[in-house]
Amino acid sequence: MQPDQRVSIVFETHATSLDNEAGLASGWFDVDLSPSGELQARAVGERYSADEVAAVYCSDLRRAWRTAELAFEGRALPIVLDIRLRECDYGGLTRRPATEIDAVRQAYLRTPFPDGESYEQAVRRVTTCLTEIGSAHTGRTVLIIGHRATFYAIRHLLEGEPLERVIAAPWRWQPGWHFQR
């Protein structure tokens, strides 16, 4: 693939939610941003105010799309909500303490969470979304706002890192990760 045919993808996690502050793993639970999360969301927009971003794709969960909405309000930039960019569905473990999910995360690599999905299933969702983004935005930069599972999938798919290793690595927030597709 020629360099000008690639898509630059910048990934940002959603801003801090009320569940994040409470130490809960939201999964597919649709929780709001906290007041500090709203400030963080605006900072996302400031980070990319000079960048030529073609579009913002985000999970359809409130904490992700609200991050995008606050970050880019007033800019003529398409914000596309996509269910495929959601967090992993923790099923019966939804809204359990995040430390509990961290302790069992590896067990659900291939086996779905009780009444939920596996990380491999989440990766398959993200795969189809990335394929469409790549086709629609050749030679441009796209920002994706999602969740840890979204990040795991992108890192696995675009950097070739084994999913087991990506999930096992300690989580470390940073202001944006850059990838090429």
Side-chain angles (χ1 to χ4, degrees):
M1 180 178 276
Q2 299 290 334
D4 61 340
Q5 294 178 327
R6 297 181 68 100
V7 175
S8 294
I9 294 175
V10 179
F11 175 79
E12 287 273 351
T13 57
H14 64 79
T16 300
S17 72
L18 294 169
D19 277 1
N20 291 139
E21 288 186 352
L24 301 176
S26 302
W28 283 17
F29 182 75
D30 208 11
V31 63
D32 283 319
L33 294 178
S34 69
S36 63
E38 291 179 0
L39 294 173
Q40 293 165 358
R42 288 184 177 87
V44 169
E46 291 170 16
R47 278 198 291 281
Y48 302 102
S49 63
D51 292 0
E52 292 193 31
V53 174
V56 177
Y57 284 78
C58 60
S59 159
D60 67 331
L61 294 172
R62 177 178 296 277
R63 56 197 184 270
W65 66 256
R66 188 73 177 124
T67 297
E69 184 179 75
L70 289 170
F72 298 103
E73 67 186 347
R75 284 180 66 178
L77 186 62
I79 297 175
V80 180
L81 280 60
D82 197 309
I83 192 171
R84 296 171 295 179
L85 297 173
R86 280 186 173 195
E87 178 60 275
C88 191
D89 181 358
Y90 302 140
L93 299 180
T94 297
R95 300 197 80 213
R96 298 293 306 153
T99 54
E100 284 184 26
I101 300 299
D102 288 340
V104 298
R105 194 176 303 281
Q106 287 290 334
Y108 298 105
L109 178 69
R110 290 179 184 82
T111 302
F113 282 90
D115 299 319
E117 70 179 340
S118 70
Y119 281 101
E120 284 186 343
Q121 290 171 311
V123 166
R124 283 194 292 275
R125 284 192 279 111
V126 174
T127 299
T128 60
C129 187
L130 289 179
T131 299
E132 290 175 21
I133 289 171
S135 296
H137 298 286
T138 301
R140 313 228 20 226
T141 299
V142 172
L143 181 72
I144 295 176
I145 298 174
H147 312 270
R148 282 173 66 170
T150 318
F151 172 76
Y152 296 155
I154 292 171
R155 182 132 183 249
H156 169 67
L157 295 166
L158 300 185
E159 292 186 339
E161 184 81 20
L163 189 56
E164 300 84 11
R165 237 186 312 189
V166 173
I167 291 172
W171 177 250
R172 183 182 57 83
W173 179 88
Q174 69 180 45
W177 286 266
H178 297 264
F179 301 93
Q180 293 290 316
R181 171 155 182 83

